[in-house]
Amino acid sequence: MASALPQEKEQQQARRPMHAGVGGAGANGRHHAYSRKDKSLGLLCSNFVVLYNRDDVESIGLDEAAKCLGVERRRIYDIVNVLESVGILVRKAKNRYTWIGFGGVPMALRELKERALREKSGLAPLQNEQQFAGIISDDEDDDTMGNPGADNENEKLSQTMDNPSNKPGAPRCRLRSDHRKEKSLGLLTQNFVKLFLTMEVDTISLDEAAKLLLGEGHEETNMRTKVRRLYDIANVLSSLNLIEKIHQGDTRKPAFRWLGRATTPNTENGVTVAVPPPGKTTSNKRAFGTELTNIDIHRSNLDSKVQKKAKLAQSGSDVLTNCKLALRSQLGQGKQSGFVYGHFHPAGARKHELDGGNKPGQRERAQDWESLSASFRPQYQNQALSDLFAHYVEAWKTWYSEFAQGSNIMQQHFGHSVNHFL
DNA sequence: AACTCCCGCCACGAT
DNA sequence: ATCGTGGCGGGAGTT
């Protein structure tokens, strides 16, 4: 009975009037066939982005957002939590968030990845890591299997490598608040993303993810709840184009694939780079033919070194891709053509619109770098942008130096361009 | 039937 | 006491 106190649940059961959802349950004859899709978190997220992804936005009030988007505040929390996890927003104060934009994604991902690797290798987390760190296996409590009395304080001090409350030296006394935090959508999002960033797999089903995140041997209910949350997360991440839902031939369960590129939803046409292969029930092999990384990594599967390198390369290129995109939009140089401002569109279409579009383009890649480096000039005097740029440079430097060791191929290919930057 | 995931109750922590 | 957050899981909608 993991978290919820027993009595609490009964209460929940009791109320619930049964969804008035359908057709407004009569409320007024407005009969526009109700479809949950109109209410999906993904769509909401798209709209949220459309609404706020502009230069003149920096502060967002939750109430205002809820009103504008016509949803209840609760849903805004959902969105905002995952957006924050990937660096698009930052909480500024109660009820208030600062819009960072997609430019914040690369950094966030980089940090996530670093952290994940650190965790993997068993190193202690950096103390200065601002956000509560994640846990790869947030296994906890549970398994009170028919021991309903054991609610609250039964948190075992889980041996997670991360300490959510990083008081240096302080023994962690994680109690309810920490416990709660561990289960937050935000953290779950981060851990979910970490899966993609550090694992070899390029697709993962939510069940698998849930298992990985929970650890084995969990009650069904636990799993189900986790999976529910993962659905929520996956939907918004998809709408951000960070992941993509794919269907694997054999099972009917879909899986998700990391795209690692953040673009404004529904903006596919052309602007973006690296469009993943036309998908079709893709094989599980990395098919990112368009990614920098595929240049020449012969991954003879079981060679862990190669794998590791590939992983590194993969995330590295993702970071680069993101930086590139971010810079572009920051510079305003890019035809943000794709950006659909103005009205909320049926973003449900996010995916389908895409295909007809560009063919998996390698072509763009090289020239991207050229033009990017050529056109780039930190000419803007806006402090925020400067900071942002500094961030990117930082990220680049680190990534590049670390990656350079691992791949001279990359170096050969891109060193030139990169050096332009640094 | 299985999969998705919206909805909103209510616990909790902050004010 | 009130308010802001957000975990949670029932059960409706979809496939």
Side-chain angles (χ1 to χ4, degrees):
Chain A
M1 159 106 335
S3 44
L5 313 161
Q7 76 273 33
E8 178 181 323
K9 276 189 184 160
E10 294 168 20
Q11 291 168 358
Q12 287 190 17
Q13 242 103 297
R15 24 123 211 201
R16 202 167 313 280
M18 146 193 172
H19 295 192
V22 190
N28 52 31
R30 282 289 115 70
H31 58 298
H32 47 302
Y34 165 92
S35 165
R36 337 169 80 190
K37 282 186 183 157
D38 299 335
K39 306 272 207 147
S40 76
L41 268 191
L43 175 57
L44 180 58
C45 177
S46 299
N47 290 339
F48 188 95
V49 169
V50 168
L51 186 59
Y52 291 112
N53 189 28
R54 298 187 317 241
D55 294 337
D56 55 328
V57 174
E58 31 67 57
S59 182
I60 298 172
L62 298 188
D63 289 306
E64 149 207 338
K67 188 164 6 162
C68 287
L69 296 169
V71 298
E72 25 173 325
R73 175 188 260 269
R74 178 69 195 79
R75 299 285 76 78
I76 299 295
Y77 289 129
D78 287 337
I79 302 279
V80 142
N81 280 332
V82 349
L83 290 185
E84 184 177 24
S85 299
V86 295
I88 294 178
L89 290 174
V90 168
R91 186 185 156 107
K92 184 164 72 181
K94 186 164 84 175
N95 226 323
R96 206 94 225 152
Y97 279 78
T98 298
W99 179 258
I100 302 298
F102 288 90
V105 175
M107 262 321 266
L109 293 184
R110 210 182 87 78
E111 274 172 22
L112 273 183
K113 190 184 175 200
E114 251 169 29
R115 235 191 287 158
L117 292 176
R118 192 173 297 274
E119 285 157 13
K120 257 190 168 175
S121 60
L123 291 171
L126 296 176
Q127 287 306 319
N128 64 348
E129 224 119 62
Q130 14 78 282
Q131 297 209 348
F132 42 88
I135 305 125
I136 271 299
S137 169
D138 78 45
D139 133 34
E140 21 64 11
D141 57 58
D142 61 49
D143 307 338
T144 359
M145 280 301 246
N147 175 9
D151 52 25
N152 47 16
E153 265 16 297
N154 81 350
E155 8 237 43
K156 61 201 304 123
L157 307 190
S158 73
Q159 58 309 46
T160 55
M161 309 180 234
D162 272 329
N163 181 348
S165 57
N166 30 5
K167 304 286 196 273
R172 54 20 170 350
C173 51
R174 51 228 240 16
L175 289 177
R176 273 182 286 255
S177 64
D178 285 336
H179 187 262
R180 211 172 142 83
K181 224 174 250 176
E182 277 173 21
K183 301 190 156 198
S184 72
L185 240 208
L187 227 200
L188 184 56
T189 300
Q190 296 190 334
N191 287 334
F192 183 53
V193 169
K194 282 181 192 170
L195 251 29
F196 288 109
L197 295 181
T198 62
M199 294 181 52
E200 179 62 15
V201 297
D202 40 41
T203 72
I204 188 168
S205 76
L206 299 186
D207 282 342
E208 290 163 350
K211 267 184 207 123
L212 287 167
L213 295 172
L214 270 174
E216 293 297 329
H218 272 263
E219 277 182 82
E220 177 99 9
T221 51
N222 246 334
M223 279 288 291
R224 289 197 7 168
T225 295
K226 201 59 108 186
V227 170
R228 279 196 192 95
R229 297 293 77 84
L230 287 173
Y231 274 118
D232 293 340
I233 292 168
N235 282 335
V236 350
L237 291 182
S238 307
S239 88
L240 295 172
N241 283 322
L242 283 172
I243 62 176
E244 165 193 53
K245 185 193 234 173
I246 63 174
H247 284 277
Q248 286 162 317
D250 39 343
T251 44
R252 43 140 142 292
K253 284 228 182 191
F256 288 85
R257 171 168 58 189
W258 181 252
L259 296 180
R261 63 200 172 117
T263 68
T264 313
N266 298 314
T267 61
E268 302 311 349
N269 307 322
V271 196
T272 347
V273 260
V275 174
K280 30 207 58 157
T281 358
T282 70
S283 70
N284 278 9
K285 297 299 125 193
R286 181 171 300 288
F288 279 19
T290 57
E291 291 291 337
L292 309 179
T293 35
N294 271 12
I295 284 176
D296 189 0
I297 296 199
H298 18 295
R299 46 220 243 65
S300 50
N301 271 335
L302 296 176
D303 177 352
S304 66
K305 277 179 197 156
V306 173
Q307 283 188 354
K308 180 142 189 197
K309 206 172 272 186
K311 279 189 269 180
L312 226 188
Q314 174 56 34
S315 355
S317 90
D318 288 340
V319 170
L320 285 173
T321 303
N322 279 314
C323 286
K324 184 164 52 173
L325 290 169
L327 270 176
R328 269 203 181 163
S329 67
Q330 289 297 330
L331 288 168
Q333 84 163 43
K335 33 288 182 115
Q336 317 184 293
S337 57
F339 289 35
V340 185
Y341 289 131
H343 270 286
F344 309 147
H345 42 270
R350 59 188 179 241
K351 185 70 242 276
H352 348 331
E353 292 175 358
L354 163 155
D355 10 291
N358 32 10
K359 29 234 143 181
Q362 332 241 136
R363 41 84 175 298
E364 276 200 20
R365 203 192 319 144
Q367 70 208 50
D368 268 351
W369 280 98
E370 298 305 332
S371 64
L372 183 62
S373 60
S375 60
F376 177 73
R377 238 172 279 287
Q379 59 212 149
Y380 38 85
Q381 287 314 15
N382 176 320
Q383 182 57 35
L385 289 184
S386 305
D387 291 348
L388 194 60
F389 178 66
H391 249 49
Y392 293 141
V393 172
E394 239 301 20
W396 246 322
K397 276 184 182 157
T398 316
W399 175 79
Y400 185 68
S401 64
E402 123 190 9
F403 181 66
Q405 309 166 14
S407 168
N408 29 18
I409 295 168
M410 280 291 288
Q411 196 165 4
Q412 281 170 9
H413 275 263
F414 300 107
H416 167 68
S417 302
V418 171
N419 283 330
H420 246 24
F421 275 94
L422 304 180

